[in-house]
Amino acid sequence: MGRNPEQNAEQRTATLDRLLTAGLELFASQGFAGTTIADVAERADCSKGLLYHYFPSKRALAEAVVVRWRSTLTQLAATVAEETSPERRIVAFTRAVARHVETHPATYRLQLRAMTDPALQGVAADLVAGNEDAGETWASAFAALGSQRPALDGRLFQTSLLGILAHHVLSPQPTPVRELVERLLERTLGSAVDPTDPPWSPAGP
């Protein structure tokens, strides 16, 4: 007996998820040039023909992977949008990002690759053209806190956080991500960080 339309849709969704996950992991670890369609198909446990049914080229697959990565950041931002103060939004978003990188390190490895791999750099740049730069987002947050130099303070905080996360996903030695993130927040925001707040729950996407 054949599958019904609902089962077919579930099968397509599952296949697409496997392909995107495989692409993410391989582009993050091997770069764009170092990854082949055959590599992705093998990692996703499907044929090259099936992969081409979903994505006509390796670049199309890379674009879809980057779109998913940016969608994850958008989802994380949405989880903290209702926080009532800029301090709380900074704390909640920082923890949400760090928590996600803890559990999905390949996502952040892809971000690092997109900063240094010319091919992935081009894909990411094409897709994010016209969007607000992350540095501007942090600057806006620090301006709301009353910073006299919000762009500089925002950039300092952003690069400190990115450094912690980069060390976590690249270093062979264990990184105390949660402790370092909490220390960064305390040093930046002081008493605005509530010590009674359960900092790493609920789980993010």
Side-chain angles (χ1 to χ4, degrees):
M1 180 181 295
R3 293 192 298 265
N4 60 41
E6 183 177 345
Q7 290 172 322
N8 285 332
E10 290 175 354
Q11 179 72 21
R12 286 193 296 271
T13 299
T15 300
L16 182 60
D17 183 69
R18 290 204 317 275
L19 290 170
L20 290 172
T21 299
L24 166 65
E25 293 171 349
L26 290 169
F27 289 137
S29 62
Q30 300 176 184
F32 185 83
T35 299
T36 67
I37 288 294
D39 292 334
V40 178
E42 181 178 2
R43 177 70 66 92
D45 193 25
C46 72
S47 68
K48 289 196 293 183
L50 182 59
L51 189 156
Y52 279 122
H53 174 73
Y54 286 87
F55 303 104
S57 66
K58 185 169 73 168
R59 181 180 176 86
L61 172 62
E63 289 176 346
V65 167
V66 171
V67 166
R68 180 191 250 195
W69 154 49
R70 287 193 60 80
S71 175
T72 297
L73 294 179
T74 300
Q75 291 176 48
L76 291 175
T79 65
V80 305
E82 295 184 0
E83 293 291 348
T84 56
S85 70
E87 293 95 338
R88 293 295 306 159
R89 285 192 292 274
I90 289 173
V91 169
F93 184 64
T94 299
R95 287 170 174 169
V97 170
R99 183 174 56 239
H100 180 79
V101 171
E102 261 197 322
T103 53
H104 302 84
T107 303
Y108 193 64
R109 290 193 189 100
L110 178 70
Q111 180 171 338
L112 295 175
R113 280 281 186 180
M115 294 169 134
T116 57
D117 183 317
L120 284 175
Q121 228 173 18
V123 170
D126 289 347
L127 291 173
V128 303
N131 287 351
E132 185 180 25
D133 178 72
E136 291 299 319
T137 302
W138 287 114
S140 297
F142 278 86
L145 291 176
S147 167
Q148 297 301 306
R149 306 182 71 182
L152 189 61
D153 287 340
R155 183 64 69 181
L156 177 60
F157 184 84
Q158 179 191 17
T159 54
S160 299
L161 176 61
L162 296 184
I164 293 170
L165 301 181
H167 194 274
H168 171 62
V169 301
L170 297 178
S171 173
Q173 301 299 322
T175 303
V177 176
R178 300 188 179 200
E179 291 87 346
L180 288 170
V181 167
E182 289 303 306
R183 184 64 173 155
L184 174 63
L185 289 169
E186 289 169 9
R187 289 178 67 89
T188 304
L189 300 174
S191 61
V193 182
D194 184 353
T196 66
D197 181 39
W200 299 89
S201 62

